[in-house]
Amino acid sequence: MFKRPLFQGTALAVALALGATVSGCGTPQATTQNSLTTNSSAASAISYPMTVKDDMGNTVTLKHQPMHIVSGSEGTDEILVSLVPKSRIALVTTMASNPEYSNVVAQVKGIPAWSGDDPEQALAVHPDLVLEAGYVTKTVLNQLHQAGVPMYVFSLNDFNSIADIERNILTVGRLVGEPAKANEVVANMKQDIAQIEGAVQGQPRPTVLDYGSYGYTAGRDTTVDDIIRDAGGVNVAHILNGWQKITDEQIVKWNPDVIIDSSDDAAFLKKLASDPALQSVTAVREHHLYAINSADISSVSQYVVRAVYDVAKVLHPTAHLKAPKVMA
């Protein structure tokens, strides 16, 4: 998801993202791969006018390099500020200024915020590019389309892995005419993750459960699954597809060594610690219940590497881990 807030994570992610995916019984949305990442000729040079297909199969035409960009997701908020100056960003989401979910509070200071549910507010800044996510209501998308605003919509299926995040960064970079910067951001991500993986290599790999108060866990095809793996752990819920609701009985059966949750939901971990039904679970019995910074674990931008580092620290406290230097 462009997830946790747009994008994924634990508590808030489930609230925002699962509303769009679980209610659909887990059926993947039909998508069209964007031509910015699948067409080699399009990827080799940036020129305007530019006509591409977004991830929903819609044609997007940019007459010139975008200079009044509207970001409709917290993920694109974080990506944009690393690629273009503030003067080119007309609106960011209200989430961008909330430190509980945003890694770019300082960078977006002074940029007007958009709740995302009022298309008139977006139209009022005369955008020449709107970056949106597939979970946005059709009313908003339709009104922006009808107004003739160039709008690139990312599919919900575009936020299920760290590889998806890297691809999205490259896509935004090409749309805004900054492919070199986008390539640099992605290269930096890969380097940071490789350093973390190297630091935990050879260490025992504890079993991990990501679990929050909404009752959902992250299975395979989620960024959290990638985070746990890259941090040197084994996701016990990997056998599940996507975000799934689980029971106490399932947790007891899996018997994870470690349980993680986002910091905005930390009070739930205290409840787990005293839950009579879970006292036989290793993570509960040995007090291996950890709150991971919610802005990191929910990120669907380059800042996801911080989540890999955060989780690696609790799984391998004696490893020589180097804090990632995210390009911002």
Side-chain angles (χ1 to χ4, degrees):
M1 325 165 182
F2 222 31
K3 188 178 154 284
R4 203 173 250 128
L6 210 176
F7 305 29
Q8 126 195 12
T10 39
L12 178 64
V14 169
L16 296 181
L18 288 178
T21 57
V22 173
S23 62
C25 301
T27 302
Q29 288 191 355
T31 64
T32 299
Q33 287 188 310
N34 73 72
S35 55
L36 287 173
T37 55
T38 59
N39 186 304
S40 59
S41 61
S44 62
I46 301 299
S47 62
Y48 302 92
M50 174 192 294
T51 298
V52 300
K53 293 281 189 180
D54 71 8
D55 296 346
M56 307 302 288
N58 301 309
T59 299
V60 183
T61 298
L62 300 175
K63 296 180 180 179
H64 52 76
Q65 185 179 37
M67 302 302 289
H68 301 281
I69 307 166
V70 169
S71 173
S73 78
E74 210 277 308
T76 49
D77 293 340
E78 293 187 346
I79 293 170
L80 272 176
V81 296
S82 70
L83 301 180
V84 302
K86 289 169 62 173
S87 60
R88 291 179 58 189
I89 306 175
L91 293 174
V92 292
T93 69
T94 54
M95 299 297 296
S97 59
N98 185 339
E100 201 164 56
Y101 305 113
S102 171
N103 288 286
V104 294
V105 173
Q107 293 94 318
V108 302
K109 188 174 182 180
I111 302 176
W114 179 40
S115 65
D117 57 2
D118 181 7
E120 294 296 337
Q121 183 184 359
L123 293 174
V125 301
H126 306 292
D128 46 18
L129 174 62
V130 176
L131 299 173
E132 268 296 4
Y135 66 72
V136 174
T137 63
K138 289 185 177 180
T139 300
V140 172
L141 294 179
N142 288 343
Q143 189 163 340
L144 292 173
H145 272 304
Q146 290 168 6
V149 174
M151 179 168 57
Y152 192 101
V153 181
F154 291 88
S155 162
L156 285 174
N157 293 331
D158 286 335
F159 312 103
N160 296 336
S161 69
I162 291 177
D164 288 342
I165 294 172
E166 292 171 350
R167 185 170 57 251
N168 293 337
I169 293 169
L170 295 176
T171 295
V172 174
R174 298 190 183 286
L175 288 170
V176 302
E178 299 291 350
K181 287 185 179 180
N183 288 335
E184 191 176 358
V185 170
V186 170
N188 188 72
M189 285 179 63
K190 291 180 181 294
Q191 182 178 16
D192 282 335
I193 292 175
Q195 289 176 339
I196 295 169
E197 290 177 327
V200 302
Q201 187 174 11
Q203 300 266 1
R205 298 178 67 86
T207 55
V208 184
L209 175 70
D210 175 86
Y211 187 55
S213 59
Y214 284 84
Y216 285 85
T217 189
R220 64 182 180 276
D221 296 329
T222 64
T223 57
V224 173
D225 188 58
D226 280 3
I227 289 167
I228 292 171
R229 182 198 64 232
D230 292 347
V234 176
N235 182 12
V236 294
H238 183 79
I239 60 174
L240 303 180
N241 183 35
W243 290 87
Q244 299 286 338
K245 197 161 190 176
I246 59 174
T247 63
D248 286 352
E249 290 75 16
Q250 184 65 72
I251 297 173
V252 171
K253 180 180 178 181
W254 283 337
N255 190 28
D257 298 316
V258 173
I259 294 177
I260 61 174
D261 191 5
S262 58
S263 58
D264 64 304
D265 198 38
F268 179 66
L269 292 176
K270 294 182 179 180
K271 291 184 179 180
L272 289 182
S274 59
D275 189 335
L278 300 178
Q279 294 308 302
S280 65
V281 176
T282 299
V284 175
R285 187 178 67 251
E286 299 185 0
H287 309 290
H288 293 162
L289 307 170
Y290 302 101
I292 306 300
N293 184 280
S294 52
D296 297 345
I297 195 73
S298 68
S299 178
V300 283
S301 75
Q302 63 273 21
Y303 288 92
V304 71
V305 300
R306 287 185 176 178
V308 178
Y309 173 74
D310 295 342
V311 175
K313 282 197 303 181
V314 302
L315 299 185
H316 305 288
T318 62
H320 298 292
L321 291 162
K322 181 180 179 181
K325 294 182 179 179
V326 181
M327 291 190 63

